[in-house]
């Protein structure tokens, strides 16, 4: 039989202590109380606890002293601080110092229960060694010094509910960092909702974020949950948060402060329990100076920041990532694994990778389809502005055109449907070209590849991707 979990309550107000004791007792928890720093320290040094709830203002000190003592001596003990109404600066300071979360007076009991439940989950969550076991997080693979430091900070931030701002260039893995913070934390069994703020039309933004009731506007044929409600209990990741228009920034700030949303067309607010992680590749401080980003919102989403390094600063990780991506391509398309020539390896080591990890993966996927004899050569990488002069790429001429499309005489444009969906349209052309080449060559794939002017590996890759095998 599992023993009951123990909670230390520190507050100088008897009524508050009694309220917290009753509430936590109903949650089947054993409570111990202290009215000041001195008595709290005695209890912390004499027994083990699963959670500490402490007021910030105590007769002989502050909750920050208790927090500092716990961080130094009992780092795995989560601490939630209780602050006076409107003391947001104090609450944010406690989060920066390592508090799990905070709650303001007068205490909202539902909010208190949520904090307690989330905090107690922390020590029940198996701790992953992300230095060694991060194969599920592609771009975070690495043993470089900067990546080991990043993983340590991710592990620490996963034990908090503080809003985290993730800084880093495009393609460096900001969403992977957010996902890992979520997965290692107490909300891992709840939704992780990533949102690209720059991809939502401004006229739909309020509905997408906060939801709407049926009939709220033309086309609202049924009620819809917004991102905040979908992420309830879990984590909402706001990628490219700098792209939010100012009007939406005001509404987002209010939701973060009130922990409630009002769906479009509704009169009542809906409480939401969501941890906010955000990211952008832009400089928010410059945007604040230009008047394009609200300073008050910046301080609410950037309680703690974390920097994701660009790939060119990660040294030995390039070779590790290259091996991982090539292995992944081989498994996905059930094709032989390829290797890199010495010249290709050197080129990757010296390349600046302006598109970071995402660019490396794309470069390798393209080279994987172009290479011959299971070896990626320098010319297969097709690196731009590379420090090593690339050899001229051989051009294979097709035997004859596969599809001969004549431009329309009236406007000299390629004939396409009026309601075109580009990806399916291009896929249909590729599918038809492959089918014609294979039929002409009696399904001899080597001959069909030659007719199409591509490598045999590229043909097999495309057939696999289009499910034509």
């Amino acid at each position: 039989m599992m023993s009951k979990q123990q909670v230390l309550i520190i507050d100088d107000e008897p009524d508050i202590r009694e309220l917290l004791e009753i509430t936590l007792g109903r949650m089947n928890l054993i409570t111990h109380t202290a009215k000041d720093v001195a008595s709290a320290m005695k209890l912390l040094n004499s027994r083990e606890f699963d959670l500490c709830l402490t007021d910030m203002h105590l007769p002989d000190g502050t909750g920050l002293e208790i927090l500092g003592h716990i961080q130094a001596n009992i780092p795995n003990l989560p601490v939630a601080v209780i602050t006076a109404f409107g003391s947001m600066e104090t609450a944010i300071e406690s989060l920066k110092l390592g508090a799990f979360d905070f709650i303001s007076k007068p205490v909202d009991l539902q909010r208190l229960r949520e904090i307690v439940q989330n905090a107690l989950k922390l020590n029940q969550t198996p701790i992953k060694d992300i230095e060694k076991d991060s194969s599920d997080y592609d771009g975070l693979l690495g043993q470089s010094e900067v990546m080991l430091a990043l993983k340590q900070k991710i592990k620490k931030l996963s034990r908090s509910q503080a809003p985290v701002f993730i800084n880093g260039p495009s393609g460096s893995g900001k969403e992977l960092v957010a996902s890992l913070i979520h997965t290692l934390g107490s909300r891992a069994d709840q939704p992780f909702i990533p949102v690209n703020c720059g991809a939502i039309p401004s006229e739909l933004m309020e509905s997408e974020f906060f939801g709407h009731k049926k009939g709220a506007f033309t086309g609202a044929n049924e009620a819809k949950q917004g991102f905040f409600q979908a992420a309830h209990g879990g984590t909402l990741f706001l990628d490219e948060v700098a792209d939010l228009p100012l009007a939406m920034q005001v509404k987002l700030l209010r939701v973060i402060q009130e922990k409630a949303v009002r769906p479009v067309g509704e009169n009542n607010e809906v409480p939401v329990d969501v941890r906010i992680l955000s990211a952008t590749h832009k400089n928010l401080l410059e945007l604040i100076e230009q008047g394009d980003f609200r300073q008050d919102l910046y301080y609410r989403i950037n309680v703690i920041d974390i920097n994701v390094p660009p790939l060119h600063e990660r040294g030995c990780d390039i070779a590790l990532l290259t091996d991982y991506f090539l292995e992944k391509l081989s498994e996905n398309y059930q094709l032989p694994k390829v290797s890199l020539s010495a010249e290709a390896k050197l080129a990757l080591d010296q390349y600046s990778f302006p598109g970071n990890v995402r660019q490396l993966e794309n470069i390798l996927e393209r080279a994987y389809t172009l290479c011959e004899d299971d070896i990626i050569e320098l010319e297969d990488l097709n690196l731009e502005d590379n420090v090593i002069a690339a050899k001229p790429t051989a051009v294979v001429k097709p035997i004859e055109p596969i599809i001969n499309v004549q431009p329309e005489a009236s406007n000299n444009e390629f004939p396409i449907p009026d309601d075109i969906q580009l990806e399916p349209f291009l896929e249909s052309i590729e599918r038809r070209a492959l089918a014609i080449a294979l039929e002409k060559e009696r399904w001899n794939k080597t001959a069909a590849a030659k007719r199409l002017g591509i490598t045999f590996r590229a043909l097999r890759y495309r057939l696999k991707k289009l499910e034509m095998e």
Side-chain angles (χ1 to χ4, degrees):
M1 181 176 177
M2 269 184 77
S3 58
K4 291 184 179 180
Q5 292 173 296
Q6 315 249 343
V7 181
L8 174 59
I9 299 168
I10 309 167
D11 201 297
D12 62 332
E13 296 182 49
D15 291 347
I16 297 290
R17 291 200 303 271
E18 183 180 1
L19 174 65
L20 297 180
E21 279 192 281
I22 293 172
T23 304
L24 271 58
R26 288 173 177 168
M27 296 174 69
N28 203 29
L29 301 170
I30 295 176
T31 58
H32 303 263
T33 62
K35 62 181 181 180
D36 52 32
V37 173
S39 54
M41 291 297 189
K42 287 181 182 178
L43 284 169
L44 286 167
N45 293 329
S46 63
R47 63 190 314 137
E48 293 184 357
F49 293 98
D50 298 287
L51 172 64
C52 175
L53 293 173
T54 180
D55 191 14
M56 290 301 290
H57 299 288
L58 298 166
D60 56 347
T62 69
L64 294 181
E65 292 177 49
I66 293 168
L67 177 59
H69 173 81
I70 290 173
Q71 286 291 300
N73 300 284
I74 326 169
N76 289 331
L77 175 61
V79 181
V81 300
I82 304 168
T83 67
F85 178 75
S87 301
M88 187 53 60
E89 288 184 10
T90 307
I92 288 175
E93 180 65 19
S94 70
L95 291 174
K96 288 182 176 179
L97 291 175
F100 173 78
D101 208 340
F102 70 91
I103 187 168
S104 299
K105 293 180 180 180
V107 176
D108 180 329
L109 295 184
Q110 178 57 36
R111 170 78 178 138
L112 172 67
R113 284 188 285 266
E114 289 171 354
I115 290 174
V116 170
Q117 287 168 353
N118 282 329
L120 292 175
K121 283 181 186 177
L122 279 178
N123 293 327
Q124 299 171 351
T125 304
I127 298 174
K128 283 180 67 177
D129 187 352
I130 58 173
E131 286 81 7
K132 297 178 181 177
D133 181 20
S134 57
S135 57
D136 293 336
Y137 299 93
D138 299 1
L140 294 185
L141 285 171
Q143 295 299 315
S144 61
E145 188 175 336
V146 289
M147 286 307 292
L148 292 178
L150 174 65
K151 291 173 186 178
Q152 281 299 323
K153 191 161 187 180
I154 288 171
K155 188 188 293 186
K156 183 176 181 180
L157 293 179
S158 69
R159 296 186 60 81
S160 166
Q161 297 298 292
V164 177
F165 180 71
I166 305 167
N167 231 324
S170 295
S172 57
K174 296 188 291 296
E175 184 172 336
L176 291 171
V177 169
S179 177
L180 193 47
I181 291 173
H182 169 80
T183 302
L184 294 176
S186 61
R187 297 174 179 262
D189 58 345
Q190 298 299 318
F192 173 76
I193 307 294
V195 178
N196 188 328
C197 298
I200 306 171
S202 56
E203 64 273 14
L204 298 177
M205 200 162 276
E206 189 172 355
S207 170
E208 290 294 320
F209 273 87
F210 311 137
H212 63 252
K213 67 179 290 187
K214 182 178 179 180
F217 50 83
T218 304
N221 298 322
E222 56 185 23
K224 176 186 175 181
Q225 274 194 339
F227 297 135
F228 274 88
Q229 289 167 286
H232 181 68
T235 303
L236 182 62
F237 173 54
L238 303 178
D239 197 8
E240 299 305 342
V241 70
D243 292 338
L244 288 173
L246 285 169
M248 190 63 193
Q249 292 176 32
V250 175
K251 293 172 182 175
L252 177 61
L253 176 64
R254 187 179 187 283
V255 170
I256 293 173
Q257 289 174 334
E258 301 298 327
K259 300 186 184 299
V261 297
R262 178 177 292 149
V264 177
E266 288 281 7
N267 294 322
N268 299 320
E269 291 188 330
V270 179
V272 287
D273 170 30
V274 171
R275 184 180 188 184
I276 299 290
L277 307 179
S278 56
T280 184
H281 69 282
K282 298 179 180 178
N283 188 322
L284 285 186
L285 292 176
E286 288 183 1
L287 294 178
I288 290 171
E289 290 180 5
Q290 297 164 10
D292 294 325
F293 200 85
R294 291 183 62 94
Q295 188 174 43
D296 47 6
L297 177 59
Y298 172 78
Y299 287 121
R300 291 309 302 269
I301 63 175
N302 191 23
V303 172
I304 300 175
D305 64 355
I306 185 169
N307 291 308
V308 186
L311 184 55
H312 67 79
E313 292 181 3
R314 294 175 53 181
C316 61
D317 292 344
I318 293 174
L320 186 64
L321 286 165
T322 297
D323 287 343
Y324 172 73
F325 286 135
L326 291 178
E327 184 72 39
K328 184 178 172 183
L329 285 165
S330 176
E331 291 176 1
N332 287 350
Y333 296 108
Q334 297 177 6
L335 294 170
K337 188 179 177 182
V338 303
S339 58
L340 275 76
S341 69
E343 197 174 20
K345 285 181 181 178
L346 181 61
L348 288 179
D349 285 340
Q350 296 180 339
Y351 191 58
S352 62
F353 288 104
N356 295 291
V357 179
R358 186 185 300 130
Q359 183 186 17
L360 172 62
E361 185 173 13
N362 291 339
I363 285 171
L364 292 173
E365 184 166 3
R366 182 179 62 238
Y368 188 89
T369 67
L370 295 174
C371 71
E372 299 278 7
D373 302 321
D374 297 337
I375 298 177
I376 293 177
E377 301 287 354
L378 175 60
E379 57 266 27
D380 298 323
L381 296 175
N382 194 28
L383 301 179
E384 297 177 3
D385 301 322
N386 194 17
V387 293
I388 299 174
K391 298 176 183 177
T393 303
V395 178
V396 182
K397 294 183 180 179
I399 296 173
E400 62 183 63
I402 296 298
I403 301 179
N404 187 18
V405 182
Q406 296 295 331
E408 293 181 5
S410 58
N411 57 10
N412 200 37
E413 292 179 353
F414 187 83
I416 58 176
D418 292 336
D419 57 345
I420 183 175
Q421 294 293 313
L422 186 59
E423 289 298 332
F425 178 67
L426 294 177
E427 187 177 292
S428 68
I429 293 175
E430 184 177 12
R431 190 184 297 275
R432 177 164 167 73
L434 292 171
I436 292 173
L438 287 166
E439 287 173 7
K440 284 182 176 290
E441 299 297 342
R442 300 178 182 273
W443 290 87
N444 182 319
K445 292 180 182 177
T446 302
K450 187 176 181 182
R451 176 179 289 276
L452 288 163
I454 60 177
T455 65
F456 177 72
R457 178 179 294 278
L459 176 67
R460 287 194 61 188
Y461 168 80
R462 285 179 164 83
L463 290 174
K464 185 77 176 175
K465 184 181 74 170
L466 297 171
E467 298 181 348
M468 292 179 65
E469 285 194 323

